[in-house]
Amino acid sequence: MIIHLLLTVSVFLSCTLGMSLRFSCSSTSFPQQHQVRGNLKSSKNLDKVRNLVKTVGVPSLTSSPLESLRKGNWVKLICGASFEDVVDIRNLSLVYTLAGVDCIDCAADLAVVSAVNDGIESARDIVGLRRPWVMISVNDDEDLHFRKAEFDPEDCPLDCSRPCEIVCPASAISLNEGNSTLEVSDGTNASRVLKGGVITERCYGCGRCFPVCPYDNIRLVTYIRDTTATADLIKRNGIDAVEIHTSGRQSAFFEELWDGLGDSISHLRLIAVSLPNVGDSTISSMNTMYSIMEPNLPCFNLWQLDGRPMSGDIGRGATRESIAFAVRMAAVKDRPPGFLQLAGGTNAHTVDGLKKMGLFQTTSITKNPKDEILTASLPNSLHALIGGIAYGGYARKIVGRVLSSMQSQYGVARIEDYPEHLLEALREALALVGTVKSYDPF
């Protein structure tokens, strides 16, 4: 937490002085020997990384994220609306930029956005790739993506089997024995208790710890991003898109948030709305939200179909709900304009599921009048029924294993300073992104 606070102060000061939004690699975040960023383009130790990127055919500088949406091979990395570990986020952004994602979605937090942008630019120092869009996530009401777990570890028995630690996919719970903080006045030794608890910046609110606690000690605390702070953040350099998480049931909350963002939306290239499948009312809710946005919609819009939130790392079955949602939406003729993108339970099995349903890169006539902007670069008005896929927990998991291994050996570090780890992480990322991008085998 101290590291996170120092990073926030560091980034705030540098922005106040008019410097670009770049993640501060000071001694508060990385070891002393890595403070100075060298010329990565001349580093022979990264040649294998460069050769791999070129061999598989990662998109060049001339490609466009919008073109990816049109073709149906858009890929978004979800860092997590509540995940705020800036070191992991920076390294994840670097790896997935090299893998060719079109967008990186993160928390609406200045330090987090700066970490994403630094990871992107560091990747582009290694290979001259086009810059993915940076998206921030906000919510119009209580939402499970915007919550944190918390509990007092001293309330936990010493002999607890600690299932919360075991099930946490983000390694956001750490418990160790220590002395009680209660004052001992009779001269006896302090009692032993559990210390630690939830590492707040790593917790992204999946809620898996909550039902497994044998003593019901864990609470899930929800929050709503401040609209005024979000609008101010959007106006800074380094943000291309915003995603509004909504239940789809309360249009008044959605309208209040939209109005609160005001003229900040004119700075954006894409507006996304993430919503669950609420059955028969889904389309009417979408149409209502689009009618709220449309008068002041300055760019393209996207509907994120959130099948089974924050579950992609669980296994093959987690993606069924996201595919079923896509099948339903693709069949509807009166849905509002906007690209469709899958999320919630997406993993390495999602593309196969779309292919079985005939939805992978299947084209239809576009209904979005703003699509004419692209006709100069694309031959017709056809676009994919499903614009792309967002990967969250699964994408973080497969690269996170490498990051954890690196950290256990070297401590907090920039992944490009350890090219063998970067190469391993990149192979994992390419295997996932490549299912959508149709990269050459490697």
Side-chain angles (χ1 to χ4, degrees), residues 28-318:
T28 62
S29 55
F30 294 106
Q32 182 73 23
Q33 63 266 31
H34 300 310
Q35 282 189 41
V36 179
R37 178 166 141 190
N39 183 1
L40 296 178
K41 289 184 178 178
S42 64
S43 172
K44 292 183 178 180
N45 291 333
L46 292 167
D47 282 347
K48 290 182 179 179
V49 172
R50 297 188 190 93
N51 290 337
L52 179 58
V53 169
K54 294 175 182 177
T55 298
V56 301
V58 174
S60 68
L61 287 166
T62 59
S63 66
S64 162
L66 279 176
E67 185 178 350
S68 296
L69 281 169
R70 283 284 302 270
K71 291 180 176 179
N73 65 2
W74 156 281
V75 180
K76 183 177 79 171
L77 167 67
I78 303 175
C79 289
S82 294
F83 189 61
E84 297 168 313
D85 186 314
V86 290
V87 175
D88 262 13
I89 288 170
R90 185 262 183 197
N91 286 331
L92 282 166
S93 298
L94 187 154
V95 171
Y96 278 97
T97 295
L98 291 176
V101 298
D102 298 281
C103 183
I104 299 176
D105 184 2
C106 66
D109 176 272
L110 179 57
V112 171
V113 172
S114 299
V116 171
N117 276 298
D118 189 81
I120 290 172
E121 294 309 317
S122 295
R124 297 178 71 207
D125 280 347
I126 298 171
V127 183
L129 298 171
R130 62 105 162 94
R131 179 183 181 275
W133 288 348
V134 176
M135 174 184 286
I136 58 171
S137 280
V138 297
N139 53 327
D140 65 358
D141 195 9
E142 290 189 0
D143 185 284
L144 53 80
H145 297 88
F146 297 81
R147 64 185 184 181
K148 299 279 189 181
E150 64 176 34
F151 64 93
D152 185 346
E154 294 193 20
D155 292 337
C156 303
L158 282 174
D159 61 354
C160 180
S161 60
R162 308 177 190 177
C164 58
E165 257 188 329
I166 297 170
V167 302
C168 180
S171 300
I173 298 177
S174 177
L175 295 167
N176 298 285
E177 285 191 38
N179 291 327
S180 172
T181 56
L182 295 176
E183 183 178 353
V184 179
S185 58
D186 59 359
T188 59
N189 292 330
S191 60
R192 301 291 287 175
V193 295
L194 287 178
K195 294 285 189 178
V198 177
I199 304 169
T200 304
E201 61 266 30
R202 291 198 61 83
C203 176
Y204 61 85
C206 70
R208 296 179 206 175
C209 60
F210 182 74
V212 303
C213 177
Y215 305 98
D216 295 327
N217 284 341
I218 300 175
R219 302 173 296 279
L220 294 174
V221 181
T222 61
Y223 62 93
I224 299 175
R225 290 285 180 187
D226 181 77
T227 306
T228 301
T230 299
D232 290 340
L233 184 59
I234 291 172
K235 292 176 183 178
R236 296 176 177 269
N237 291 328
I239 296 174
D240 305 283
V242 67
E243 181 165 273
I244 301 171
H245 288 254
T246 184
S247 67
R249 295 185 175 92
Q250 294 288 342
S251 61
F253 294 151
F254 183 89
E255 186 169 13
E256 182 180 355
L257 187 153
W258 181 256
D259 291 342
L261 292 177
D263 63 354
S264 70
I265 60 174
S266 64
H267 296 255
L268 301 172
R269 304 186 187 199
L270 183 72
I271 304 289
V273 176
S274 179
L275 74 163
N277 186 351
V278 291
D280 293 339
S281 63
T282 302
I283 294 299
S284 62
S285 295
M286 291 171 65
N287 279 311
T288 298
M289 287 186 284
Y290 186 78
S291 69
I292 292 170
M293 294 189 296
E294 200 276 334
N296 296 308
L297 187 62
C299 55
F300 288 85
N301 70 297
L302 177 150
W303 303 100
Q304 176 167 285
L305 311 180
D306 199 11
R308 183 179 171 185
M310 297 183 289
S311 65
D313 59 304
I314 294 175
R316 178 187 293 270

Side-chain angles (χ1 to χ4, degrees), residues 307-308 311-323 344-347:
R308 183 179 171 185
S311 65
D313 59 304
I314 294 175
R316 178 187 293 270
T319 196
R320 290 173 184 163
E321 290 182 43
S322 64
I323 293 171
T346 51
N347 54 35

Side-chain angles (χ1 to χ4, degrees), residues 140 342 385:
D140 65 358
L342 273 64
L385 278 170

Side-chain angles (χ1 to χ4, degrees), residues 381-392:
S381 59
L382 290 178
H383 70 82
L385 278 170
I386 304 299
I389 302 173
Y391 296 108

